[in-house]
Amino acid sequence: KRTMTLIEKNGYPDAVYMNAAKIFEGIRTEKSKDSKLVHYGNNLESPMLAFKDEHCRRVSYELAFSALKYQSLLEEILLDSGAYPCYSIPDELTSLLVVMLYDLQGRKFEARKIFDEEEPVAEVQEVGHYLYRYMIKLAAALARCRIKHDALSIDYFVPETIWKQEQRVSALPFCVWINTYKISLQDVIRDLEMKGLTKVESVSDFDHYTYAMDQHCHDVLVFPSSLKEELLDLDLFADDKLLLQ
């Protein structure tokens, strides 16, 4: 997992981009003919997805749905920068172009590092090289969009309905399974208390550094949403002793 975190900061393996593009192709917003400026392929068949492991499956879907959230912005950047239309890349690869552009802007338009164990995919390599040739113009186009809409970040461009849903979800407590094949409940509690967390009776008693036992499952703990990022960095999660539900 620590290796995958490093990979994500430098980009994903080619197979992840390819799978994310296929997923995005099936969920993207279809615009009316009058307002359609960016054209996608017409592949009506269900995509053939091949995931190396569960982590690759998860990040492929996350990448696809992130691109969906910002589809309009990403299309505007492509058009404003002059990177689209791109006659060297067929419409069937437009979804890949959008997905890789989302990832590229998320890495501040820094070039992706290639890992030795990665198996290259020709389409991903082609689209990646194309985007890198336009990196400066793409970054400038994003800056112009933010200035035009007075936006501090791209989060401003998320549709209001999705933004409200995410706000509700982010406020919910989250549950964690204890992997009793690797650690006992008592050892987990000891580790959490050593890190300054206090056990409370229920979620209604939550403060920041608190947790509660699930009322029905003896191997499930519940935490406040504010602790999520901090807890996921713990060795307990990296070593699969705790599993996010």
Side-chain angles (χ1 to χ4, degrees), residues 24-220:
F24 176 80
E25 179 63 32
I27 61 176
R28 63 179 173 79
T29 302
E30 187 68 47
K31 298 183 179 179
S32 64
K33 291 184 178 180
D34 295 336
S35 61
K36 186 185 293 185
L37 297 174
V38 175
H39 298 276
Y40 295 84
N42 295 316
N43 187 4
L44 301 178
E45 298 179 5
S46 297
M48 296 295 293
L49 303 175
F51 302 110
K52 178 182 177 182
D53 51 36
E54 176 62 22
H55 182 82
C56 288
R57 186 188 72 83
R58 180 175 61 81
V59 296
S60 296
Y61 275 94
E62 285 181 357
L63 189 55
F65 276 89
S66 294
L68 175 65
K69 282 198 301 183
Y70 299 102
Q71 179 180 335
S72 295
L73 171 64
L74 296 169
E75 291 177 353
E76 185 176 346
I77 292 171
L78 285 171
L79 292 165
D80 186 39
S81 65
Y84 190 91
C86 42
Y87 302 105
S88 63
I89 296 178
D91 290 347
E92 286 71 26
L93 293 182
T94 301
S95 290
L96 182 60
L97 189 71
V98 171
V99 164
M100 292 188 72
L101 174 58
Y102 170 79
D103 177 62
L104 184 62
Q105 66 78 32
R107 289 184 285 106
K108 310 297 183 186
F109 295 94
E110 292 184 4
R112 180 169 66 106
K113 292 184 179 179
I114 305 299
F115 293 84
D116 294 337
E117 66 273 14
E118 180 180 342
E119 185 174 340
V121 177
E123 294 88 344
V124 175
Q125 297 291 317
E126 178 186 0
V127 171
H129 291 317
Y130 180 81
L131 287 172
Y132 297 151
R133 292 204 303 270
Y134 279 87
M135 269 201 292
I136 295 176
K137 291 182 178 180
L138 289 166
L142 173 58
R144 285 193 293 272
C145 286
R146 289 175 53 188
I147 292 170
K148 176 182 175 182
H149 296 282
D150 194 23
L152 294 176
S153 71
I154 68 167
D155 293 336
Y156 174 90
F157 298 93
V158 175
E160 185 177 2
T161 53
I162 296 178
W163 182 82
K164 288 181 177 178
Q165 289 173 357
E166 289 184 338
Q167 289 296 106
R168 286 197 293 269
V169 170
S170 65
L172 291 173
F174 66 98
C175 297
V176 166
W177 290 95
I178 299 171
N179 185 355
T180 52
Y181 289 103
K182 290 191 172 185
I183 194 170
S184 67
L185 169 63
Q186 292 74 21
D187 287 340
V188 169
I189 290 175
R190 187 185 69 247
D191 280 12
L192 293 175
E193 290 179 347
M194 286 177 62
K195 291 175 172 57
L197 275 77
T198 304
K199 180 183 173 184
V200 294
E201 290 302 314
S202 70
V203 296
S204 60
D205 300 319
F206 273 168
D207 195 356
H208 183 52
Y209 283 99
T210 52
Y211 70 95
M213 301 288 297
D214 186 272
Q215 295 181 3
H216 305 287
C217 302
H218 68 278
D219 56 352
V220 174

